[in-house]
Amino acid sequence: MSPENDAAGLNFEATELTLGLPGKSKVTSDGEAKSGTKRGFLETVDLNLGDKKCGQSQTDVQEAAKSSPVSKAQVVGWPPVRALRKNAMKSCKYVKVAVDGAPYLRKVDLEMYNSYQQLLSSLEDMFSCFTIRNCLNEKKIVDQVNGLEYVPTYEDKDGDWMLVGDVPWQMFVDSCKRLRLMKSSEAIGLAPRTPPKCSSTT
Amino acid sequence: MQKKMAYSFPDEVLEHVFSFIQSDKDRNAVSMVCKSWYEIERWCRRKIFIGNCYAVSPRIMIRRFPEIRSVELKGKPHFADFNLVPEGWGGYILPWIVEMAGAYPWLEEIRLKRMVVTDESLELIAKSFKNFKVLVLSFCEGFSTDGLAAIAASCKNLKELDLRESEVDDLSGHWLSHFPETYTSLVSLNISCLGSDEVSFSALERLVGRCPNLRTLQLNRAVPLDKIATILRRAPQLVEFGTGTYAAELRPDVFSNLAGAFSSCKELRSLSGFWDVVPAYLPAIYSVCSRISSLNLSYATIQSHDLIKLVCHCPSLQRLLVLDYIEDSGLEALASSCKDLQELRVFPSDPFGAEPNVSLTEQGLVAVSLGCPKLQSVLYFCHQMTNSALVNIAQNRPNLTRFRLCIIAPRKPDYVTLEPLDVGFGAIVQHCKDLRRLSLSGLLTDRVFEYIGTYAKKLEMLSVAFAGDSDLGLHHVLSGCESLRKLEIRDCSFGDKALLANAAKLETMRSLWMSSCSVSFGACKLLGQKMPRLNVEVIDERGPPDSRPESCPVEKLYIYRSVAGPRFDMPPFVWTMDDEDSALRLS
């Protein structure tokens, strides 16, 4: 190796690599047989590990390497399909969520939920001042700050505003175009079918 | 005597000669001939391409090229497309816009790829460049329709607005109404990536109707099928058209209206969109199919027999993007009907399914390689491959320039012989002497890299995943591939040795990405110290690398050459290894 490479401290001799097909063994100048056999991935990792902490992510990779074929769901970014394409392929049902009195809209993907409860919990998370109060078939959302009650409503395919919770979940997902958390005082005409027997659960 | 003559050309003459030289490579070569040519060239360069926004700073660009009219920049590494680059890594356009707003008031074109663009940036563009004409945002993010509204409202000379698969916060469809009624210069509009919100259709209709030069229009999914006819009748001069959702209840009046509208588009050469296709509506495009050269059906979830019918109507097809629903039988039909095919991309319909859901194998690709003599560019997702199929493909198509194969299960061997696919890919690089881009997959040992290093002399970009055995593999590539510019590697057992032994090579490349490999923090530091013109970025979400032993491998590594030095906009999980003793930036 050229002198300047040694001077750079990179110690090229130590890193000298011989090109040969795997399986052939080469003998270096000092007589030591250099194995041309494949160095297993696990071996390599073992040589580098000195600490349990740093081994963490490498262990995960090791585990992935051991099991073959690798379970696709566990590997980030594989197969290499762009997110936009992935999302376009899976059915997703994004609807806007408006809250009376709030200046901003949010969007939710209804396909991500399996039940009204999950949807309402998610809304609770999103608009964190709210808590959900269940009154039998009627779901009410309460703003903890001002004590106002909101009723979740939705616009269906025909343009009518309905109360959330009246129809089976999947039927709701199919027909819902957008959601609106309406102030209770305005939800007249969307009256519940059964008189409310309230018990708060948050 | 000759020397004197060269110097006696007036600058204006040389400038005029240089104006015929458009390619960056040639311009760069011209600028290196002598000092006076460097000076003349830099004053008359109008277009600049910067493949890595961190390789150079806006100030350096402006200082050298004071009269730029068109800028193209790329930001994040390619693997960002697959969520391997954490959110917040970088690639911000704002600092560039700020500098260019002052220096290039006559800037006309901005083309960005994988950059973070904010509404603030878009507003600044709208305000600063009076003659702004072209905005292309590929795979960008960080902006909303408010930013687009600013562009629409202010850019009176806008010709092209292309949002190509960017992530846009779709706040309101009304941004389109911000194009004034007096605005008529639109030539190209691609809004196909906009979310499921309604686009203001009447505004779109009016816009299309008053722009007689409109050549390209790509709608988003929300535009219903029954609106297509209206649009096309207002723009029968379209050359490229992208539908929205291509589904509706089958109604004869809607169908005949649609078919009539398509048939009046005599210039149409390229079709895309086709979300949610109802096959019964496909014959509406048959009248234009004979002239179609580019077809993007990669969102069309239709079965093989419908795809075959369509493809057989398109003898002039040069470019096809399709889902693996096409199956081997569809690809065989393609191979017989489309003799001008140059580019084929087959995407997986169910990338995460445990079992293959369609009958698409290596046979389909072999058939196309045999039947399509002009095939140059391939992207193919499949579940199985053999060495012999790859050898066939290589022998059939030595004119391949881009070959990207993704066998969906990592480390899958030749399913017949159970051997690694080294020999198959080896045949590809050996026969396809002009191969510029290659993506590997399947079970691969160091041997494939030896073939690549030996034969792939024109290879510029290589993507590697779950492959190789040792540093020898990486060494073969770095020492053998003379034209290599971009190398991206994930989940391979490559470590310090090959990297350090080939440190100088890295300065001849645009960038190297390595994630989930075995490169130690110590090696990164060493590389950073010894190579001042490289930015060695360690990306590690486990916390500062110096809180772990030096021998500990880093999560991700991104190395790129730069004349701008280390960047200052890094998030807390990125560290640049530089040539100072304290290699780590204080967080």
Side-chain angles (χ1 to χ4, degrees):
Chain A
M1 287 283 153
S2 57
E4 57 259 41
N5 287 336
D6 275 345
L10 283 169
N11 195 7
F12 278 111
E13 269 170 347
T15 61
E16 188 187 57
L17 295 158
T18 51
L19 295 184
L21 292 174
K24 283 201 204 142
S25 119
K26 299 236 170 4
V27 180
T28 58
S29 52
D30 60 9
E32 210 179 61
K34 247 200 225 165
S35 167
T37 54
K38 306 170 200 179
R39 231 165 73 215
F41 174 62
L42 298 182
E43 265 181 302
T44 317
V45 172
D46 281 345
L47 286 171
N48 283 334
L49 292 182
D51 187 60
K52 207 170 181 192
K53 213 175 18 155
C54 92
Q56 229 40 237
S57 77
Q58 281 307 100
T59 317
D60 295 335
V61 184
Q62 270 190 58
E63 286 309 305
K66 272 189 220 161
S67 64
S68 78
V70 177
S71 164
K72 290 154 216 160
Q74 291 168 14
V75 183
V76 174
W78 191 267
V81 177
R82 297 194 68 242
L84 210 70
R85 179 167 294 283
K86 264 190 275 185
N87 291 340
M89 293 311 299
K90 73 173 199 273
S91 59
C92 50
K93 181 79 194 281
Y94 275 101
V95 296
K96 285 188 204 179
V97 183
V99 177
D100 281 0
Y104 55 89
L105 294 177
R106 296 294 201 114
K107 281 200 289 201
V108 290
D109 176 3
L110 293 179
E111 294 281 350
M112 302 224 16
Y113 310 106
N114 292 318
S115 70
Y116 285 112
Q117 191 54 44
Q118 283 182 6
L119 171 62
L120 293 175
S121 302
S122 179
L123 290 178
E124 195 182 29
D125 287 341
M126 246 185 260
F127 302 96
S128 53
C129 50
F130 292 153
T131 56
I132 299 176
R133 196 176 279 168
N134 271 325
C135 305
L136 268 188
N137 285 334
E138 186 186 311
K139 274 104 180 126
K140 278 209 174 108
I141 294 181
V142 180
D143 183 338
Q144 285 174 334
V145 173
N146 58 28
L148 281 178
E149 275 189 359
Y150 292 83
V151 174
T153 64
Y154 70 102
E155 186 185 1
D156 74 1
K157 275 189 192 161
D158 303 321
D160 299 322
W161 285 93
M162 320 276 282
L163 280 176
V164 166
D166 281 350
V167 301
W169 170 255
Q170 196 54 47
M171 197 183 294
F172 161 72
V173 171
D174 290 340
S175 62
C176 172
K177 273 178 28 184
R178 73 183 97 207
L179 285 165
R180 179 179 158 196
L181 300 186
M182 209 180 272
K183 286 200 192 115
S184 274
S185 53
E186 294 196 19
I188 308 161
L190 299 173
R193 295 196 188 112
T194 56
K197 288 189 180 72
C198 284
S199 61
S200 323
T201 40
T202 43
Chain B
M1 195 52 196
Q2 277 177 330
K3 248 197 208 166
K4 256 194 171 169
M5 285 198 60
Y7 291 136
S8 70
F9 272 125
D11 289 359
E12 300 80 45
V13 172
L14 279 172
E15 226 183 275
H16 182 68
V17 171
F18 293 170
S19 71
F20 294 101
I21 299 171
Q22 301 293 341
S23 103
D24 289 315
K25 265 190 174 166
D26 293 341
R27 279 257 170 187
N28 292 342
V30 158
S31 71
M32 303 224 285
V33 167
C34 63
K35 278 190 191 150
S36 68
W37 281 35
Y38 176 94
E39 275 304 305
I40 296 166
E41 194 282 317
R42 76 181 189 90
W43 279 97
C44 69
R45 191 175 310 204
R46 296 283 175 264
K47 258 182 105 150
I48 190 164
F49 167 75
I50 295 169
N52 174 5
C53 64
Y54 291 119
V56 68
S57 72
R59 295 248 171 96
I60 293 173
M61 172 187 72
I62 290 165
R63 197 169 59 216
R64 180 169 170 191
F65 300 114
E67 299 284 343
I68 293 289
R69 298 271 188 276
S70 162
V71 171
E72 185 175 348
L73 281 162
K74 294 188 180 179
K76 299 185 213 170
H78 173 235
F79 274 176
D81 287 358
F82 317 122
N83 295 333
L84 290 181
V85 177
E87 196 74 27
W89 172 83
Y92 306 104
I93 194 56
L94 187 61
W96 289 83
I97 308 292
V98 168
E99 299 281 349
M100 293 193 297
Y104 298 149
W106 298 110
L107 191 69
E108 294 177 6
E109 304 182 352
I110 294 176
R111 294 180 171 83
L112 305 177
K113 190 168 186 181
R114 290 192 196 95
M115 295 203 71
V116 178
V117 180
T118 55
D119 285 347
E120 189 188 349
S121 310
L122 292 175
E123 282 151 20
L124 194 53
I125 291 172
K127 216 171 42 166
S128 316
F129 308 118
K130 299 300 168 206
N131 200 24
F132 195 67
K133 293 188 176 151
V134 172
L135 183 63
V136 178
L137 302 175
S138 284
F139 307 160
C140 294
E141 48 154 352
F143 61 103
S144 79
T145 42
D146 286 354
L148 298 178
I151 297 283
S154 308
C155 300
K156 301 183 182 14
N157 296 318
L158 192 71
K159 286 180 17 181
E160 194 174 326
L161 179 61
D162 184 343
L163 303 179
R164 241 181 250 194
E165 299 204 57
S166 291
E167 272 180 48
V168 185
D169 211 352
D170 201 338
L171 299 176
S172 144
H174 294 291
W175 69 271
L176 266 175
S177 318
H178 288 253
F179 282 110
E181 290 301 317
T182 49
Y183 168 76
T184 58
S185 40
L186 196 62
V187 173
S188 173
L189 181 66
N190 178 358
I191 52 171
S192 54
C193 63
L194 288 184
S196 53
D197 288 58
E198 285 129 41
V199 117
S200 166
F201 191 75
S202 52
L204 177 65
E205 229 185 303
R206 284 196 312 277
L207 179 64
V208 167
R210 67 177 184 272
C211 294
N213 298 320
L214 193 64
R215 290 281 170 274
T216 297
L217 179 64
Q218 285 154 328
L219 305 172
N220 64 329
R221 195 171 186 170
V223 178
L225 179 141
D226 58 6
K227 300 287 192 195
I228 294 177
T230 320
I231 290 277
L232 289 181
R233 290 195 197 283
R234 293 198 183 213
Q237 77 283 4
L238 282 177
V239 174
E240 288 185 296
F241 179 63
T243 74
T245 182
Y246 203 71
E249 228 177 272
L250 187 57
R251 281 170 46 194
D253 55 327
V254 173
F255 180 93
S256 57
N257 194 16
L258 187 60
F262 270 112
S263 65
S264 67
C265 297
K266 307 291 183 200
E267 311 299 321
L268 209 47
R269 296 291 175 272
S270 164
L271 287 172
S272 59
F274 296 110
W275 282 280
D276 322 306
V277 173
V278 162
Y281 273 108
L282 283 174
I285 67 171
Y286 283 175
S287 62
V288 296
C289 280
S290 62
R291 292 185 292 270
I292 291 295
S293 58
S294 170
L295 193 52
N296 184 349
L297 295 169
S298 63
Y299 294 105
T301 49
I302 51 177
Q303 302 305 310
S304 182
H305 57 272
D306 291 311
L307 285 163
I308 291 174
K309 272 194 271 180
L310 183 51
V311 144
C312 289
H313 275 84
C314 304
S316 313
L317 203 57
Q318 293 174 17
R319 185 170 184 259
L320 177 66
L321 280 63
V322 73
L323 286 169
D324 57 9
Y325 288 130
I326 195 168
E327 299 192 329
D328 289 341
S329 54
L331 292 176
E332 279 151 26
L334 180 69
S336 351
S337 313
C338 302
K339 295 303 184 184
D340 283 343
L341 195 70
Q342 294 175 21
E343 179 176 351
L344 175 67
R345 296 192 187 209
V346 179
F347 294 96
S349 53
D350 185 19
F352 305 107
E355 293 300 317
N357 57 325
V358 290
S359 176
L360 180 106
T361 69
E362 76 281 7
Q363 294 308 323
L365 188 55
V366 172
V368 178
S369 73
L370 193 56
C372 301
K374 300 190 189 166
L375 188 69
Q376 282 179 27
S377 173
V378 171
L379 170 64
Y380 199 74
F381 282 82
C382 61
H383 289 272
Q384 64 185 45
M385 188 50 60
T386 61
N387 281 309
S388 106
L390 284 171
V391 170
N392 266 355
I393 291 164
Q395 289 170 338
N396 291 339
R397 285 287 57 79
N399 48 328
L400 284 173
T401 55
R402 290 184 209 81
F403 188 72
R404 296 159 68 188
L405 180 67
C406 180
I407 301 163
I408 289 173
R411 299 198 186 86
K412 199 153 184 210
D414 176 321
Y415 74 94
V416 171
T417 64
L418 298 184
E419 281 174 7
L421 291 171
D422 300 337
V423 165
F425 280 106
I428 294 281
V429 292
Q430 197 175 345
H431 290 273
C432 306
K433 300 201 194 310
D434 289 323
L435 196 69
R436 294 196 310 264
R437 185 165 179 187
L438 178 64
S439 300
L440 305 174
S441 56
L443 183 65
L444 297 164
T445 71
D446 284 347
R447 205 165 158 211
V448 74
F449 299 109
E450 190 180 353
Y451 289 132
I452 292 172
T454 307
Y455 294 109
K457 296 304 181 186
K458 301 264 181 76
L459 193 67
E460 296 178 6
M461 182 169 177
L462 179 65
S463 309
V464 185
F466 306 104
D469 311 305
S470 75
D471 277 42
L472 202 52
L474 181 56
H475 176 70
H476 285 309
V477 171
L478 290 176
S479 58
C481 296
E482 290 160 7
S483 311
L484 197 64
R485 293 189 298 113
K486 290 180 280 183
L487 179 57
E488 48 185 24
I489 301 171
R490 62 163 297 175
D491 294 275
C492 296
S493 53
F494 299 143
D496 302 345
K497 289 187 178 168
L499 204 54
L500 294 174
N502 292 281
K505 170 74 175 175
L506 299 176
E507 261 187 28
T508 69
M509 291 166 54
R510 183 188 295 173
S511 64
L512 167 66
W513 168 277
M514 292 178 75
S515 56
S516 305
C517 297
S518 307
V519 180
S520 71
F521 174 52
C524 295
K525 277 207 294 189
L526 193 57
L527 204 54
Q529 283 162 24
K530 299 302 172 190
M531 309 293 296
R533 286 180 304 199
L534 289 180
N535 279 357
V536 177
E537 287 188 12
V538 169
I539 301 165
D540 209 316
E541 291 176 286
R542 295 171 298 177
D546 64 353
S547 62
R548 291 178 291 277
E550 282 214 354
S551 55
C552 192
V554 299
E555 264 180 2
K556 298 170 191 189
L557 177 60
Y558 186 50
I559 301 173
Y560 54 91
R561 65 181 174 190
S562 176
V563 295
R567 58 188 178 110
F568 299 108
D569 60 357
M570 295 177 296
F573 51 84
V574 177
W575 293 266
T576 301
M577 312 287 105
D578 58 25
D579 43 359
E580 282 157 19
D581 276 338
S582 55
L584 300 176
R585 177 180 56 84
L586 290 167
S587 44

